[in-house]
Amino acid sequence: MPAKMESILMVIAAGEFTMGVLANTFIALVNCMDWIKSKKIASIDLILTSLAISRICLLCVILLDCFILVLCPEVYTSGKQMKIIDFFWTVNNHLSVWFATCLSICYFLKIANFFHPLFLWMKWRIDRVILWILLGCLAFSVLISLPVTENLNDDFRLCVKAKQKMNLTLRCRVSKAQYASTKVLLNLLTLLPFSVSLISFLLLILSLWRHTRQMQLHGIGYRDPSTAAHVEAMKAVISFLFLFVAYYLAFLVATSSYFMPETELAVLWGELIALIYPSSHSFILILRNNKLRQASLRVLWKLKFILKRRKF
């Protein structure tokens, strides 16, 4: 790959990383400060904080992988360092998706209007068990990352950078079946939380439709707090679904680069697209959350005031 192209891609990656870390750090700090002041934390705030921390780690791992690929490609031929990076990437990848799914479920349980006994039971229990659910997501992500990382690393990382420098054709062909099956399993596991979020979104649409019908029957206008809450929750969930599809495709490109002729370029482009998901979705969450939006406005106002004072 030309050095100029590498430099441009790395600058873009660094910019996406910086924006993502700032947004997620802001979410975590605001919720933690509010937690310290009030000595309690709402379930949605706890999920947002956990999601922000997992995304900061994910952004760091992706950027580190980009820099290693460009600046220290020889690391790809050694298994130990890359196994550690692969492990943390897989863990934080699954954590960020599962935590976002928990957020979608929490929006659904807090806002939707259903009278099914199972829904009412889940709505009543969610605040009490949310911490255990998040810890369960962490344990599940770690457990599936250990065997996946062990199977993915050995031949894949060697072929990424070194396949054009040495005769690895036979070795790569032999391991394709094993690598492909591992990759498919990994991606299918990631699709499970996506399906849950999609179901939550569809149920929110159903709840909104039933609510608007009731409003019509009673001759009440549409602009009530429940309708507004439904719409805001749906916007938050659909933004996650849309960005996750883009991230999922980028993740496929990065992991499938093993089969592509321009492996290094494919990995970099896949990781650049992958960085968009944990960065931009965090800004959307800030704009959709009243507390975070108000806090961001206060920060911007203070920065504007400081800049004006320094200017004059």
Side-chain angles (χ1 to χ4, degrees):
M1 187 192 307
K4 187 175 182 181
M5 176 66 73
E6 287 183 353
S7 301
I8 293 173
L9 293 179
M10 292 309 299
V11 169
I12 296 173
E16 291 178 345
F17 168 81
T18 303
M19 298 301 293
V21 168
L22 286 175
N24 286 289
T25 303
F26 176 79
I27 292 174
L29 283 177
V30 170
N31 286 325
C32 287
M33 290 173 64
D34 188 62
W35 188 1
I36 294 172
K37 289 180 181 178
S38 60
K39 296 184 179 179
K40 61 181 181 179
I41 186 169
S43 56
I44 289 180
D45 292 339
L46 180 59
I47 298 172
L48 284 171
T49 304
S50 304
L51 179 61
I53 294 172
S54 68
R55 283 179 171 172
I56 291 172
C57 297
L58 180 62
L59 287 165
C60 291
V61 173
I62 294 176
L63 186 70
L64 177 62
D65 196 68
C66 288
F67 274 102
I68 289 175
L69 182 61
V70 174
L71 302 178
C72 305
E74 64 277 0
V75 176
Y76 269 82
T77 60
S78 60
K80 293 182 180 180
Q81 294 89 342
M82 295 316 304
K83 280 184 179 180
I84 296 173
I85 294 176
D86 278 338
F87 172 75
F88 282 104
W89 189 344
T90 308
V91 168
N92 288 291
N93 174 52
H94 280 271
L95 268 182
S96 63
V97 175
W98 276 108
F99 286 165
T101 301
C102 291
L103 186 63
S104 301
I105 295 172
C106 197
Y107 281 142
F108 165 67
L109 293 176
K110 295 287 185 182
I111 294 170
N113 294 316
F114 292 104
F115 297 100
H116 192 278
L118 178 60
F119 173 80
L120 295 175
W121 180 81
M122 292 174 63
K123 187 169 186 172
W124 177 65
R125 295 282 297 176
I126 186 65
D127 289 331
R128 301 183 180 186
V129 300
I130 190 61
L131 178 60
W132 295 107
I133 292 174
L134 297 177
L135 291 175
C137 292
L138 175 60
F140 177 76
S141 300
V142 171
L143 286 175
I144 66 172
S145 298
L146 289 171
V148 166
T149 303
E150 188 67 27
N151 292 331
L152 262 179
N153 188 269
D154 295 334
D155 291 335
F156 168 62
R157 290 299 181 180
L158 187 62
C159 292
V160 166
K161 191 66 184 179
K163 70 178 183 180
Q164 295 178 353
K165 294 183 178 180
M166 60 182 72
N167 187 16
L168 295 174
T169 305
L170 179 60
R171 183 176 175 182
C172 291
R173 285 177 181 173
V174 170
S175 61
K176 271 186 179 182
Q178 181 182 2
Y179 173 73
S181 61
T182 306
K183 180 174 66 66
V184 169
L185 176 61
L186 176 64
N187 291 321
L188 286 177
L189 288 173
T190 311
L191 283 177
L192 177 61
F194 173 80
S195 302
V196 175
S197 296
L198 182 60
I199 292 171
S200 300
F201 174 71
L202 295 175
L203 289 174
L204 274 172
I205 294 177
L206 177 61
S207 176
L208 178 61
W209 176 73
R210 292 179 58 183
H211 177 71
T212 52
R213 281 192 63 188
Q214 291 178 358
M215 300 292 285
Q216 283 181 332
L217 291 175
H218 292 86
I220 305 174
Y222 293 109
R223 296 193 175 184
D224 64 301
S226 181
T227 302
H230 274 81
V231 173
E232 289 298 317
M234 288 168 58
K235 288 180 180 178
V237 176
I238 199 172
S239 64
F240 161 68
L241 294 174
F242 176 78
L243 290 170
F244 177 78
V245 169
Y247 174 77
Y248 183 77
L249 294 176
F251 186 74
L252 276 178
V253 170
T255 55
S256 302
S257 59
Y258 179 73
F259 305 101
M260 300 178 183
E262 294 293 334
T263 304
E264 183 182 350
L265 183 61
V267 171
L268 281 177
W269 275 110
E271 292 180 348
L272 282 179
I273 299 172
L275 282 168
I276 296 174
Y277 158 67
S279 301
S280 58
H281 188 241
S282 300
F283 282 100
I284 294 173
L285 291 176
I286 292 173
L287 295 175
R288 296 296 175 195
N289 186 285
N290 288 328
K291 182 176 71 174
L292 295 175
R293 185 171 63 250
Q294 293 298 324
S296 64
L297 291 175
R298 288 195 298 269
V299 170
L300 290 175
W301 183 85
K302 289 181 180 179
L303 288 175
K304 185 179 179 181
F305 178 75
I306 292 172
L307 291 174
K308 281 186 176 180
R309 287 190 60 183
R310 289 189 176 182
K311 186 176 181 180
F312 296 102

Short mmCIF file of all heavy atoms in Angstrom, two decimals, residues 268-294:
data_model
loop_
_atom_site.label_atom_id
_atom_site.label_comp_id
_atom_site.label_asym_id
_atom_site.label_seq_id
_atom_site.Cartn_x
_atom_site.Cartn_y
_atom_site.Cartn_z
N LEU A 268 -7.67 -2.36 6.84
CA LEU A 268 -7.72 -0.94 7.24
C LEU A 268 -9.08 -0.32 6.93
O LEU A 268 -9.66 0.39 7.75
CB LEU A 268 -6.61 -0.17 6.54
CG LEU A 268 -5.21 -0.30 7.15
CD1 LEU A 268 -4.19 0.46 6.32
CD2 LEU A 268 -5.20 0.19 8.59
N TRP A 269 -9.59 -0.57 5.71
CA TRP A 269 -10.90 -0.02 5.36
C TRP A 269 -11.99 -0.60 6.24
O TRP A 269 -12.92 0.12 6.66
CB TRP A 269 -11.21 -0.28 3.88
CG TRP A 269 -10.63 0.75 2.97
CD1 TRP A 269 -9.60 0.59 2.10
CD2 TRP A 269 -11.04 2.13 2.86
NE1 TRP A 269 -9.32 1.77 1.44
CE2 TRP A 269 -10.20 2.74 1.89
CE3 TRP A 269 -12.02 2.90 3.48
CZ2 TRP A 269 -10.32 4.06 1.52
CZ3 TRP A 269 -12.14 4.24 3.11
CH2 TRP A 269 -11.30 4.81 2.16
N GLY A 270 -11.92 -1.89 6.54
CA GLY A 270 -12.90 -2.50 7.42
C GLY A 270 -12.87 -1.90 8.81
O GLY A 270 -13.91 -1.61 9.41
N GLU A 271 -11.67 -1.63 9.33
CA GLU A 271 -11.55 -1.05 10.66
C GLU A 271 -11.97 0.41 10.69
O GLU A 271 -12.50 0.89 11.69
CB GLU A 271 -10.13 -1.25 11.17
CG GLU A 271 -9.81 -2.72 11.44
CD GLU A 271 -8.40 -2.93 11.95
OE1 GLU A 271 -7.59 -1.98 11.88
OE2 GLU A 271 -8.11 -4.05 12.43
N LEU A 272 -11.72 1.14 9.60
CA LEU A 272 -12.18 2.53 9.52
C LEU A 272 -13.70 2.61 9.58
O LEU A 272 -14.27 3.46 10.28
CB LEU A 272 -11.67 3.19 8.24
CG LEU A 272 -10.22 3.64 8.20
CD1 LEU A 272 -9.88 4.23 6.84
CD2 LEU A 272 -9.93 4.65 9.29
N ILE A 273 -14.36 1.74 8.85
CA ILE A 273 -15.83 1.72 8.88
C ILE A 273 -16.33 1.24 10.24
O ILE A 273 -17.31 1.74 10.78
CB ILE A 273 -16.38 0.83 7.75
CG1 ILE A 273 -15.94 1.37 6.39
CG2 ILE A 273 -17.90 0.74 7.81
CD1 ILE A 273 -16.27 0.46 5.23
N ALA A 274 -15.62 0.27 10.82
CA ALA A 274 -16.01 -0.25 12.13
C ALA A 274 -15.93 0.82 13.21
O ALA A 274 -16.72 0.83 14.16
CB ALA A 274 -15.13 -1.44 12.50
N LEU A 275 -14.99 1.75 13.09
CA LEU A 275 -14.84 2.82 14.08
C LEU A 275 -16.03 3.77 14.10
O LEU A 275 -16.28 4.47 15.10
CB LEU A 275 -13.56 3.61 13.81
CG LEU A 275 -12.24 2.97 14.25
CD1 LEU A 275 -11.06 3.71 13.65
CD2 LEU A 275 -12.13 2.95 15.76
N ILE A 276 -16.78 3.83 13.00
CA ILE A 276 -17.93 4.75 12.92
C ILE A 276 -19.01 4.36 13.92
O ILE A 276 -19.63 5.23 14.56
CB ILE A 276 -18.51 4.76 11.49
CG1 ILE A 276 -17.47 5.31 10.51
CG2 ILE A 276 -19.78 5.61 11.43
CD1 ILE A 276 -17.91 5.22 9.06
N TYR A 277 -19.24 3.07 14.09
CA TYR A 277 -20.33 2.60 14.95
C TYR A 277 -20.17 3.02 16.42
O TYR A 277 -21.06 3.67 16.98
CB TYR A 277 -20.48 1.08 14.80
CG TYR A 277 -21.18 0.40 15.95
CD1 TYR A 277 -22.52 0.63 16.21
CD2 TYR A 277 -20.49 -0.49 16.77
CE1 TYR A 277 -23.16 0.00 17.25
CE2 TYR A 277 -21.13 -1.13 17.81
CZ TYR A 277 -22.46 -0.88 18.05
OH TYR A 277 -23.09 -1.50 19.09
N PRO A 278 -19.06 2.68 17.10
CA PRO A 278 -18.97 3.08 18.51
C PRO A 278 -18.78 4.57 18.71
O PRO A 278 -18.97 5.06 19.83
CB PRO A 278 -17.75 2.29 19.01
CG PRO A 278 -16.93 2.06 17.81
CD PRO A 278 -17.88 1.91 16.68
N SER A 279 -18.41 5.30 17.67
CA SER A 279 -18.19 6.75 17.80
C SER A 279 -19.49 7.52 17.59
O SER A 279 -19.93 8.27 18.47
CB SER A 279 -17.14 7.22 16.80
OG SER A 279 -15.92 6.56 17.00
N SER A 280 -20.12 7.32 16.43
CA SER A 280 -21.30 8.12 16.09
C SER A 280 -22.52 7.75 16.92
O SER A 280 -23.32 8.62 17.29
CB SER A 280 -21.62 7.95 14.60
OG SER A 280 -21.83 6.59 14.28
N HIS A 281 -22.69 6.47 17.26
CA HIS A 281 -23.86 6.08 18.04
C HIS A 281 -23.84 6.71 19.43
O HIS A 281 -24.89 7.03 19.99
CB HIS A 281 -23.94 4.56 18.16
CG HIS A 281 -25.20 4.08 18.79
ND1 HIS A 281 -25.24 3.36 19.96
CD2 HIS A 281 -26.51 4.24 18.42
CE1 HIS A 281 -26.49 3.08 20.27
NE2 HIS A 281 -27.28 3.61 19.36
N SER A 282 -22.66 6.93 19.97
CA SER A 282 -22.56 7.58 21.29
C SER A 282 -23.04 9.02 21.24
O SER A 282 -23.69 9.50 22.17
CB SER A 282 -21.11 7.51 21.79
OG SER A 282 -20.69 6.17 21.90
N PHE A 283 -22.74 9.73 20.15
CA PHE A 283 -23.26 11.09 20.00
C PHE A 283 -24.78 11.09 19.87
O PHE A 283 -25.47 11.97 20.40
CB PHE A 283 -22.64 11.76 18.77
CG PHE A 283 -21.24 12.24 18.99
CD1 PHE A 283 -20.15 11.50 18.55
CD2 PHE A 283 -21.00 13.44 19.64
CE1 PHE A 283 -18.86 11.94 18.75
CE2 PHE A 283 -19.70 13.90 19.85
CZ PHE A 283 -18.63 13.14 19.41
N ILE A 284 -25.32 10.09 19.19
CA ILE A 284 -26.79 9.98 19.06
C ILE A 284 -27.41 9.75 20.43
O ILE A 284 -28.45 10.33 20.76
CB ILE A 284 -27.15 8.85 18.09
CG1 ILE A 284 -26.68 9.20 16.67
CG2 ILE A 284 -28.65 8.58 18.09
CD1 ILE A 284 -26.83 8.08 15.67
N LEU A 285 -26.78 8.91 21.25
CA LEU A 285 -27.30 8.65 22.59
C LEU A 285 -27.27 9.92 23.45
O LEU A 285 -28.18 10.15 24.25
CB LEU A 285 -26.49 7.54 23.26
CG LEU A 285 -26.65 6.13 22.68
CD1 LEU A 285 -25.70 5.17 23.38
CD2 LEU A 285 -28.09 5.66 22.80
N ILE A 286 -26.24 10.72 23.29
CA ILE A 286 -26.16 11.98 24.04
C ILE A 286 -27.30 12.91 23.63
O ILE A 286 -27.96 13.52 24.49
CB ILE A 286 -24.80 12.66 23.80
CG1 ILE A 286 -23.68 11.84 24.45
CG2 ILE A 286 -24.79 14.09 24.36
CD1 ILE A 286 -22.28 12.35 24.13
N LEU A 287 -27.58 13.01 22.35
CA LEU A 287 -28.64 13.89 21.86
C LEU A 287 -30.02 13.39 22.25
O LEU A 287 -30.95 14.19 22.42
CB LEU A 287 -28.55 14.03 20.34
CG LEU A 287 -27.29 14.73 19.80
CD1 LEU A 287 -27.28 14.70 18.29
CD2 LEU A 287 -27.22 16.18 20.30
N ARG A 288 -30.19 12.07 22.39
CA ARG A 288 -31.49 11.49 22.71
C ARG A 288 -31.77 11.40 24.20
O ARG A 288 -32.90 11.11 24.60
CB ARG A 288 -31.61 10.08 22.10
CG ARG A 288 -31.55 10.06 20.58
CD ARG A 288 -32.72 10.78 19.99
NE ARG A 288 -32.63 10.87 18.53
CZ ARG A 288 -33.34 11.67 17.79
NH1 ARG A 288 -34.22 12.48 18.36
NH2 ARG A 288 -33.20 11.70 16.48
N ASN A 289 -30.77 11.64 25.03
CA ASN A 289 -30.94 11.56 26.48
C ASN A 289 -30.96 12.96 27.06
O ASN A 289 -30.03 13.75 26.87
CB ASN A 289 -29.78 10.74 27.08
CG ASN A 289 -29.95 10.48 28.56
OD1 ASN A 289 -29.75 11.37 29.39
ND2 ASN A 289 -30.31 9.26 28.90
N ASN A 290 -32.03 13.30 27.77
CA ASN A 290 -32.21 14.67 28.28
C ASN A 290 -31.07 15.08 29.21
O ASN A 290 -30.54 16.19 29.09
CB ASN A 290 -33.55 14.79 29.01
CG ASN A 290 -34.72 14.78 28.06
OD1 ASN A 290 -34.61 15.25 26.92
ND2 ASN A 290 -35.84 14.23 28.49
N LYS A 291 -30.69 14.21 30.13
CA LYS A 291 -29.64 14.56 31.08
C LYS A 291 -28.30 14.77 30.38
O LYS A 291 -27.60 15.76 30.65
CB LYS A 291 -29.50 13.45 32.14
CG LYS A 291 -28.45 13.74 33.19
CD LYS A 291 -28.42 12.68 34.26
CE LYS A 291 -27.85 11.39 33.74
NZ LYS A 291 -27.69 10.38 34.82
N LEU A 292 -27.96 13.88 29.47
CA LEU A 292 -26.70 14.01 28.75
C LEU A 292 -26.71 15.20 27.81
O LEU A 292 -25.70 15.89 27.66
CB LEU A 292 -26.43 12.73 27.96
CG LEU A 292 -26.20 11.46 28.79
CD1 LEU A 292 -26.07 10.25 27.87
CD2 LEU A 292 -24.95 11.60 29.64
N ARG A 293 -27.87 15.46 27.19
CA ARG A 293 -27.96 16.61 26.29
C ARG A 293 -27.79 17.91 27.04
O ARG A 293 -27.07 18.82 26.60
CB ARG A 293 -29.30 16.59 25.54
CG ARG A 293 -29.41 17.69 24.50
CD ARG A 293 -30.64 17.53 23.64
NE ARG A 293 -31.87 17.64 24.40
CZ ARG A 293 -32.68 16.61 24.64
NH1 ARG A 293 -32.38 15.40 24.18
NH2 ARG A 293 -33.78 16.75 25.34
N GLN A 294 -28.44 18.04 28.20
CA GLN A 294 -28.31 19.25 29.00
C GLN A 294 -26.88 19.43 29.51
O GLN A 294 -26.35 20.54 29.54
CB GLN A 294 -29.29 19.20 30.18
CG GLN A 294 -30.75 19.25 29.78
CD GLN A 294 -31.11 20.54 29.06
OE1 GLN A 294 -30.59 21.61 29.39
NE2 GLN A 294 -31.99 20.44 28.08
#
